[in-house]
């Protein structure tokens, strides 16, 4: 079985650290990747972090994960609230899925309160800032060890 955890990020998350830092903080996606890789490797897992602004590329990467990942951490960005196609792709993935939002989406506009991805996710983390990714990696490691 693969021992690689995938961290998938949707649109605009390439701008993490620069985009609305009062909401998303000053850490970059490269910082998230370094912290999560160190954590995952300490737990005996590999890590791959992806980001795309294109829905189809996120879906293709979820398909790739079917063969190469033991679990998926996903921050789908705004696709969270719109994409049945990403939900369908995650439903075709067998391992654990944890959904992450850097901000507390429930404290924000009502259109951010609904998530298609939550219908599939084993857990949802919102509002912990970029530390949420590390909490999600820890949880995937626990769940993947059970399978
Ligand atoms: C986000 C919340 C989404 O509503 C938003 O569109 C994002 C980021 C978060 O991490 O808090 O792009 O997923």
């Amino acid at each position: 079985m693969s021992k690689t955890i995938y961290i998938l990020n949707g649109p605009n998350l390439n701008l993490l650290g620069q985009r609305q830092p009062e909401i998303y903080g000053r850490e970059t996606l490269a910082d998230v990747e370094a912290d999560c890789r160190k954590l995952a490797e300490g737990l005996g897992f590999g890590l791959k972090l992806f980001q795309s602004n294109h829905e189809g590329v996120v879906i293709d990467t979820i398909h790739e994960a079917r063969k190469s990942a033991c679990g998926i951490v996903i921050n789908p960005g705004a696709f969270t609230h719109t994409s049945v196609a990403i939900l369908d792709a995650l439903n075709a993935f067998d391992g654990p899925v944890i959904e992450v939002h850097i901000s507390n989406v429930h404290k924000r506009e009502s259109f951010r309160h609904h998530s298609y991805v939550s219908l599939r996710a084993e857990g949802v983390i919102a509002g912990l800032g970029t530390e949420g990714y590390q909490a999600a990696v820890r949880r995937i490691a626990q769940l993947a060890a059970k399978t």
Side-chain angles (χ1 to χ4, degrees):
M1 194 197 65
S2 161
K3 289 213 78 181
T4 303
I5 298 172
Y6 273 32
I7 302 185
L8 306 184
N9 291 278
N12 301 306
L13 288 160
N14 53 315
L15 297 180
L16 198 59
Q18 302 167 42
R19 160 203 189 206
Q20 295 183 283
E22 67 288 359
I23 296 178
Y24 299 113
R26 296 260 175 216
E27 282 219 318
T28 66
L29 213 50
D31 296 329
V32 169
E33 182 170 17
D35 290 345
C36 288
R37 170 155 297 118
K38 201 168 152 197
L39 172 65
E41 287 177 355
L43 295 168
F45 289 82
L47 188 108
K48 264 194 171 184
L49 185 141
F50 293 88
Q51 188 279 332
S52 178
N53 294 323
H54 305 279
E55 189 174 12
V57 176
V58 175
I59 291 165
D60 287 343
T61 310
I62 296 169
H63 292 176
E64 177 192 308
R66 281 161 49 80
K67 290 215 176 80
S68 352
C70 62
I72 296 177
V73 174
I74 184 163
N75 182 349
F79 292 150
T80 309
H81 320 297
T82 61
S83 182
V84 176
I86 288 177
L87 170 64
D88 285 350
L90 289 170
N91 280 334
F93 175 77
D94 287 335
V97 174
I98 303 289
E99 176 181 349
V100 170
H101 300 287
I102 297 161
S103 65
N104 181 359
V105 281
H106 299 289
K107 215 177 159 188
R108 301 179 63 192
E109 303 96 323
S110 60
F111 63 82
R112 296 185 203 275
H113 298 176
H114 178 263
S115 164
Y116 285 102
V117 170
S118 295
L119 290 167
R120 167 64 181 85
E122 270 67 38
V124 181
I125 295 166
L128 300 193
T130 49
E131 278 187 43
Y133 287 94
Q134 292 172 60
V137 166
R138 261 190 219 98
R139 186 62 181 155
I140 292 281
Q142 279 176 356
L143 293 171
K146 286 185 196 155
T147 55

